[in-house]
Amino acid sequence: MPAAVTILHLEDSPLDCELACARLRKAGISCDVTRVDTRATFEAALGGQRFDLILADFFLPDFDGLEALEIAKARTPEIPFLFLSGRMGEETAVSALKMGARDYVLKQRLAHLPAAVERAIVEARTLAERRLAEENLHRLRQAIDDIRDYAIVTLDLEGRITSWNEGSRRLFGHTEEEALGRPLSLLFAPEERCAENIRGLLAGVAEKERCEGEWIHAARDGRRFFGSTVLTVARDATGAPAAYSVVVRDITDRRASEIALRDSEAKFRAIAESMPQLVWSTPPNGLPDYYNLHWFSYTGTRPEAMTGAAWMDVVHPDDRARTAALWTAAVRSGNSYEVEYRLREAGGRYRWFLGRAVPLRDGDGRITRWFGTCTDIDDAVKARAAQADAREDLERQVAERTAELVAANRRLLGEVAERQRAQADLSALYAKTPVPLHSLDAEGRLLSVSDRWLEFMGYESRGQVLGRNITEFMPPDVAREHRENRWPELLRLGAFQDMPYRLVKRSGEVADVLVSARIERDGWGAFLRTMAAVVDVSARLRAEAERERAEEALRHSQKMDALGQLTGGIAHDFNNLLTAISGNLDLLLSRLDTAERADLRDYATHAKVGATRAAGLTQRLLAFARRQPLRPDATEPCVLVEGMEDLLRRTVGEQVSIATDCPPDVWAAWCDSNQLEIALLNLVVNARDAMPDGGRITITAANAQLTATDVAGDVSGAAPGDYVVLTVADTGMGMPPDIIKRAFDPFFTTKPIGQGTGLGLSQVYGFVSQSHGLVRIDSEAGRGTAVRLYLPRCDGEDGAGLPPGTAAAPIANGAVDGTAGTVLLVEDEALVRMVAVQALEDAGLDVVEASDGAEALELLDGGLRADLVVTDVGLPGMNGRQLAEAVHERRPELGVLFMTGYAYDATLGTGILEPGCEVLQKPFETTALVARVTGMLAHTRGDGGTLRESVPERRCD
């Protein structure tokens, strides 16, 4: 169950609505009920607030519950609909349930209502969660079907296929209908399909959670291919296996490349081992990592000893320096290497060899490997020294052997080219990966990017990005952080995971991403490249920010509601105390009306002034709580500002200038003009206090049309529509954001102690909110403040087109002297009751007291002939409204005067009061009480004994 259930109650009886609410609260269900009683208000409510539940009476003035059910199911089918009716036959109830109603409860069985409400809300939530799960499952299945390069299959516990994606159809050739229900062996070649192998494979997956391998698979058309296959197990809530998943990727081309590469290496070794020369090979750094068997046979060394520069140990000491210099120069320059030196054989003797090496380069001209040979020329050298005449023959022999070496080198170069082609295939696979990938050199420049990276960043070709530093694709602050901290950290640690970055796309859009990077190094630890993967998290971060804004608005709304309830309750109780204090002071002043007691009268007068000021304070608290009495009317803002201009100038003094801008075409506003004057005065005084050294205040009026977007997130509940905007702007010190958040809190002030109550802006907030408007503050520390009041537009004349729920104020009552009669006074507060009794008796009326509704009814039933009932609204047990209904059942002609600490207590309901009923606001003057009572007596008894016409009740939500 939610913390507070929001209920839309379609009910024409306020009392039945209140009884239903009371029953729910008694059952521990906190509810916020909105009551409507017509088709129009019902449809309007469905289009506004989001409700958890709809309660509906079956019989309504202008349409019935079945029509309401049809409207609700068409507009908001996800909201549960319950009937709460006094009369509803079984056939009608069954029809309603078939049409989509969740349940029905009879009003005479309200005890069943809480359980029905809880059950309906739980069922609705369960259905919503089920729909969400089904949608997520559908999206997941769609995502799997969109993967074309991988076959993704799920299996039940017996190994039968339960799902088959588009990639499976493309790879194996079977349609989904053909594959579903078939065993896992369908995926494998005949020699792999042994049932024991399949069962063992599934058992191993269930035990190890995951199994990877490469198997031979067979397609429907007989095509055989190698597949990289991953099997995983999914478990249920108890941990038992529930299903298996299989992912297969065709690696036939990769296996062919690997086989070709191995064949190439085998051919190279076969050629090298068959050559009479000593053959060796090195990577670009010049440290040999391969020697043929002839090398080890001649030198007598072992493979594990021939690492790095150990080959220099078998070179004659006299030849080492020259040999090392020539080899170092060749490695640095990339030129061919050739040297004659003596190598030690296994027996310790040295023979002359011709050492030669050539570099193998890639497509960019970079050296990828050196290939060299050592040809035994010992006999030739000796013959050259001993037989000068044999030089030509020796050169011929050397040329023949060199030709053999060249031929061998050509064969080696062909094998290396084949290896390079295999590496190119791997590069093509990298380019087509679905994840944005890129690689960087040691300076942070782009070496390669995948196709998905280009698509994500908005570029068409790699030529537009390769060679550029990665910081060129970052905002300045992120680029600086990357250069100064993150790149050095990556070089130091070798990798990082999910590092937050922001990248600037070609279109200028800034994307929030997570980057995972790893440095690749060669066998000697030298830097090769940095490989990085990019994950876009922009949408997720925007959703989190939106959720935080919504949560902040909710917290602010809850805080203002709690403060409103607290201050309204305090003001209500304080009004009762002020009524007693002010009434007793009125009685005291009436008895001190002599010259001899002038000193005591002054004291009482001063106390009366204090009580009046206290009443003003409670009115401010009621204003914040949106429970003050308002008299809304068509108010011309420009006329009001013009009439207040002299007062405002005198208030702010000479150091502050006031300017007004009120165009003649500004609409009339529907609000209480007196309260608007007080609000403007409060804002001007605050603006003056914000400019201790003087400044300028500007008051402007304008028209505005607010859309649903403009009022979204506003806690005052203002609706979209036409508004009149009054702005009070100053050039003062301004407010920081933390002060703006608390500006409307009651008793919060930044002024020194004794210079402000902290209720000025609270009164403004409460008045505007109660008038169905909203308040906005624009401010920045050091640049002044602008407070904007948005008040509803008044269309037409005499209240035509007013905001829903408002009506004209009640007419004033005048005292009628000489009216006598008997008044039944019902008030549970003894102090207030005493003051009212004394004031009415002093006016010559007979007063009978009662402390609650039950006592009052006993007096009437006992024969009391009262001419008027004066009752408090908030009585214990039976409230004032219920007492009035009971009185009218006994004596319909008897008038009732309600007393309340709010403008209109919630128990008075809304709409039109019954004939002969009026309301008096606490705290009141005793003279006002006497005048209202005598006036009502005169209307009910003086003019032919007819009851006074009903008085429209003003609604102040």
Side-chain angles (χ1 to χ4, degrees):
M1 289 287 290
V5 180
T6 57
I7 299 176
L8 177 60
H9 195 169
L10 181 56
E11 173 61 67
D12 58 338
S13 172
L15 180 58
D16 286 353
C17 179
E18 183 65 26
L19 289 175
C21 293
R23 173 60 66 177
L24 291 176
R25 295 191 182 100
K26 183 177 180 181
I29 299 176
S30 176
C31 56
D32 182 6
V33 179
T34 299
R35 187 181 69 84
V36 295
D37 55 8
T38 66
R39 178 194 293 269
T41 55
F42 179 67
E43 291 181 342
L46 289 179
Q49 180 183 350
R50 174 66 171 83
F51 295 96
D52 297 318
L53 179 70
I54 299 174
L55 283 178
D57 195 356
F58 189 79
F59 297 100
L60 297 162
D62 63 344
F63 74 130
D64 60 30
L66 291 181
E67 294 182 67
L69 176 59
E70 291 181 353
I71 294 172
K73 288 306 171 184
R75 299 278 293 276
T76 56
E78 73 281 359
I79 301 178
F81 191 104
L82 270 70
F83 278 106
L84 178 59
S85 181
R87 292 177 294 127
M88 192 172 183
E90 289 190 3
E91 292 185 2
T92 305
V94 170
S95 298
L97 293 176
K98 288 181 178 181
M99 291 176 63
R102 292 291 171 85
D103 207 342
Y104 71 95
V105 178
L106 297 179
K107 291 183 178 179
Q108 53 270 32
R109 297 181 180 176
L110 275 181
H112 298 168
L113 180 60
V117 169
E118 289 185 348
R119 184 168 56 252
I121 291 177
V122 169
E123 289 177 358
R125 178 165 295 178
T126 301
L127 288 175
E129 292 174 352
R130 182 181 301 169
R131 282 195 298 270
L132 180 60
E134 291 174 352
E135 292 173 359
N136 291 338
L137 181 62
H138 176 73
R139 285 195 293 269
L140 177 61
R141 180 61 185 270
Q142 187 63 42
I144 292 176
D145 285 341
D146 290 341
I147 300 176
R148 303 298 182 90
D149 297 330
Y150 291 81
I152 302 177
V153 181
T154 59
L155 311 172
D156 60 17
L157 294 180
E158 301 299 326
R160 292 185 294 270
I161 298 172
T162 57
S163 70
W164 186 263
N165 75 331
E166 176 63 18
S168 302
R169 188 195 65 77
R170 292 164 59 93
L171 190 59
F172 290 96
H174 297 282
T175 64
E176 185 176 12
E177 292 76 10
E178 295 172 341
L180 292 182
R182 301 281 295 278
L184 175 61
S185 58
L186 175 69
L187 309 182
F188 294 94
E191 62 268 26
E192 304 275 10
R193 292 178 180 175
C194 176
E196 294 182 358
N197 291 345
I198 299 298
R199 286 195 296 269
L201 180 61
L202 295 179
V205 173
E207 178 182 356
K208 300 178 182 179
E209 302 292 337
R210 178 184 177 92
C211 179
E212 296 185 34
E214 294 181 359
W215 284 277
I216 301 174
H217 297 274
R220 181 184 183 186
D221 58 3
R223 179 177 59 88
R224 296 163 60 87
F225 61 90
F226 282 100
S228 174
T229 306
V230 178
L231 293 92
T232 57
V233 63
R235 301 185 181 275
D236 58 21
T238 65
Y244 298 97
S245 66
V246 183
V247 180
V248 181
R249 179 167 58 93
D250 187 349
I251 60 169
T252 303
D253 293 341
R254 192 194 75 188
R255 287 287 297 266
S257 298
E258 292 175 351
I259 294 173
L261 183 58
R262 287 196 296 268
D263 290 345
S264 174
E265 292 175 349
K267 291 177 181 178
F268 164 74
R269 292 180 181 275
I271 294 173
E273 299 302 335
S274 65
M275 293 176 61
Q277 290 92 351
L278 310 182
V279 180
W280 49 272
S281 177
T282 80
N285 60 11
L287 298 176
D289 59 1
Y290 169 77
Y291 302 90
N292 68 349
L293 293 178
H294 288 295
W295 171 275
F296 297 111
S297 175
Y298 174 79
T299 62
T301 58
R302 299 180 61 83
E304 58 269 19
M306 289 288 98
T307 60
W311 63 278
M312 292 293 293
D313 293 339
V314 299
V315 178
H316 195 282
D318 295 341
D319 300 332
R320 288 177 185 173
R322 176 173 55 85
T323 301
L326 291 173
W327 176 237
T328 301
V331 170
R332 289 177 178 175
S333 65
N335 296 326
S336 298
Y337 164 75
E338 183 173 325
V339 65
E340 290 184 2
Y341 49 62
R342 286 163 286 179
L343 298 179
R344 186 185 65 239
E345 64 179 2
R349 292 189 304 110
Y350 287 90
R351 293 180 64 84
W352 282 95
F353 283 81
L354 173 64
R356 287 181 175 176
V358 293
L360 179 64
R361 302 178 184 273
D362 59 18
D364 296 328
R366 291 188 293 267
I367 295 176
T368 59
R369 200 153 188 85
W370 288 86
F371 292 94
T373 60
C374 297
T375 304
D376 188 341
I377 60 170
D378 186 77
D379 295 337
V381 170
K382 291 178 180 178
R384 184 175 56 199
Q387 301 175 352
D389 56 347
R391 182 180 301 274
E392 292 182 1
D393 183 65
L394 178 61
E395 290 177 353
R396 180 181 57 78
Q397 293 179 7
V398 170
E400 290 175 353
R401 293 184 179 181
T402 302
E404 293 175 356
L405 176 61
V406 171
N409 284 339
R410 288 193 183 121
R411 289 192 296 272
L412 290 174
L413 289 175
E415 297 298 335
V416 170
E418 183 64 25
R419 185 173 183 178
Q420 287 179 330
R421 282 193 293 272
Q423 291 176 343
D425 292 338
L426 291 177
S427 298
L429 179 62
Y430 159 85
K432 298 298 182 182
T433 181
V435 178
L437 301 176
H438 65 258
S439 64
L440 307 174
D441 64 13
E443 302 299 324
R445 293 183 295 265
L446 286 170
L447 293 175
S448 64
V449 295
S450 67
D451 291 349
R452 182 69 185 91
W453 193 97
L454 289 174
E455 179 185 354
F456 172 70
M457 295 297 290
Y459 292 92
E460 290 82 19
S461 66
R462 290 175 173 77
Q464 297 173 299
V465 297
L466 294 185
R468 295 171 61 181
N469 197 289
I470 191 63
T471 56
E472 297 181 32
F473 303 93
M474 301 177 186
D477 57 329
V478 178
R480 182 171 57 255
E481 172 69 14
H482 174 81
R483 287 191 298 268
E484 296 175 359
N485 298 311
R486 296 182 179 179
W487 182 252
E489 180 182 7
L490 176 61
L491 294 177
R492 179 172 58 86
L493 300 178
F496 57 58
Q497 187 76 17
D498 293 338
M499 185 69 70
Y501 274 83
R502 283 180 291 132
L503 297 180
V504 181
K505 299 183 180 181
R506 187 182 185 185
S507 63
E509 176 188 354
V510 178
D512 291 285
V513 299
L514 296 178
V515 178
S516 299
R518 176 177 55 84
I519 293 179
E520 293 184 354
R521 302 182 183 276
D522 61 18
W524 290 269
F527 182 98
L528 290 178
R529 67 184 67 84
T530 296
M531 298 298 301
V534 178
V535 178
D536 184 12
V537 295
S538 302
R540 189 187 75 190
L541 294 180
R542 286 194 297 269
E544 292 175 351
E546 184 62 29
R547 185 180 68 250
E548 290 176 358
R549 285 194 294 270
E551 290 174 350
E552 178 62 25
L554 176 60
R555 286 193 292 269
H556 182 69
S557 174
Q558 292 172 339
K559 181 188 76 172
M560 298 305 284
D561 285 345
L563 288 175
Q565 293 175 8
L566 175 63
T567 54
I570 292 172
H572 179 268
D573 294 341
F574 200 38
N575 273 339
N576 277 334
L577 298 177
L578 286 177
T579 301
I581 294 170
S582 180
N584 279 289
L585 289 173
D586 287 339
L587 296 174
L588 180 60
L589 286 171
S590 67
R591 286 159 175 72
L592 295 176
D593 194 12
T594 61
E596 292 79 5
R597 309 305 298 272
D599 53 343
L600 295 179
R601 181 174 178 81
D602 290 342
Y603 295 147
T605 302
H606 294 161
K608 179 65 176 178
V609 172
T612 302
R613 293 179 62 184
L617 179 61
T618 63
Q619 287 302 106
R620 288 190 175 189
L621 289 174
L622 286 172
F624 172 75
R626 292 176 278 179
R627 293 172 175 174
Q628 64 172 337
L630 297 182
R631 297 182 182 274
D633 202 351
T635 302
E636 296 288 346
C638 295
V639 176
L640 184 141
V641 172
E642 181 180 354
M644 293 183 64
E645 194 165 347
D646 290 340
L647 170 63
L648 297 179
R649 294 186 190 278
R650 290 195 302 271
T651 301
V652 300
E654 297 180 354
Q655 282 188 302
V656 178
S657 63
I658 295 181
T660 62
D661 181 13
C662 299
D665 59 346
V666 175
W667 300 323
W670 179 252
C671 65
D672 188 323
S673 58
N674 291 331
Q675 291 296 328
L676 180 56
E677 289 177 348
I678 295 173
L680 284 177
L681 183 60
N682 280 332
L683 294 178
V684 169
V685 170
N686 281 350
R688 178 202 64 189
D689 294 343
M691 300 182 292
D693 299 327
R696 179 183 180 87
I697 298 175
T698 304
I699 304 175
T700 61
N703 300 328
Q705 290 182 324
L706 298 185
T707 64
T709 302
D710 297 327
V711 300
D714 191 88
V715 299
S716 65
D722 293 340
Y723 287 83
V724 177
V725 186
L726 281 175
T727 304
V728 178
D730 62 60
T731 59
M733 60 187 69
M735 293 185 287
D738 58 326
I739 298 297
I740 294 176
K741 289 181 179 180
R742 302 183 58 193
F744 296 125
D745 293 357
F747 306 112
F748 174 74
T749 179
T750 58
K751 300 176 183 177
I753 297 176
Q755 297 187 18
T757 64
L759 289 174
L761 284 179
S762 299
Q763 180 269 338
V764 173
Y765 173 82
F767 156 65
V768 175
S769 298
Q770 191 173 350
S771 301
H772 307 285
L774 54 91
V775 187
R776 296 279 171 83
I777 297 180
D778 295 327
S779 183
E780 186 177 346
R783 296 198 174 185
T785 300
V787 182
R788 294 180 172 83
L789 311 183
Y790 291 81
L791 297 169
R793 175 186 181 182
C794 178
D795 295 331
E797 300 178 354
D798 299 329
L802 303 180
T806 61
I811 61 176
N813 296 315
V816 179
D817 295 334
T819 301
T822 300
V823 177
L824 174 57
L825 178 65
V826 189
E827 170 62 66
D828 63 315
E829 184 66 44
L831 293 175
V832 178
R833 188 171 67 247
M834 180 193 71
V835 170
V837 168
Q838 189 63 54
L840 294 175
E841 288 180 346
D842 288 351
L845 299 169
D846 295 328
V847 182
V848 179
E849 303 178 42
S851 61
D852 55 34
E855 184 180 352
L857 292 178
E858 287 179 5
L859 291 171
L860 290 174
D861 293 339
L864 175 64
R865 300 304 299 174
D867 299 301
L868 183 68
V869 176
V870 179
T871 177
D872 186 22
V873 172
L875 294 174
M878 178 185 295
N879 62 40
R881 182 62 176 262
Q882 294 168 337
L883 173 60
E885 292 175 353
V887 167
H888 284 160
E889 288 178 0
R890 292 164 172 79
R891 294 181 57 188
E893 80 285 354
L894 191 57
V896 178
L897 174 62
F898 294 107
M899 301 181 296
T900 179
Y902 293 145
Y904 283 91
D905 197 277
T907 55
L908 291 180
T910 59
I912 305 299
L913 291 176
E914 296 180 1
C917 296
E918 294 191 16
V919 179
L920 180 62
Q921 172 73 27
K922 294 180 182 179
F924 48 74
E925 304 284 345
T926 56
T927 56
L929 173 63
V930 172
R932 185 63 69 89
V933 170
T934 56
M936 292 182 68
L937 288 172
H939 278 79
T940 54
R941 301 173 60 234
D943 299 328
T946 59
L947 289 172
R948 182 182 178 188
E949 292 297 326
S950 62
V951 178
E953 178 187 353
R954 293 164 51 255
R955 177 179 179 181
C956 302
D957 294 335

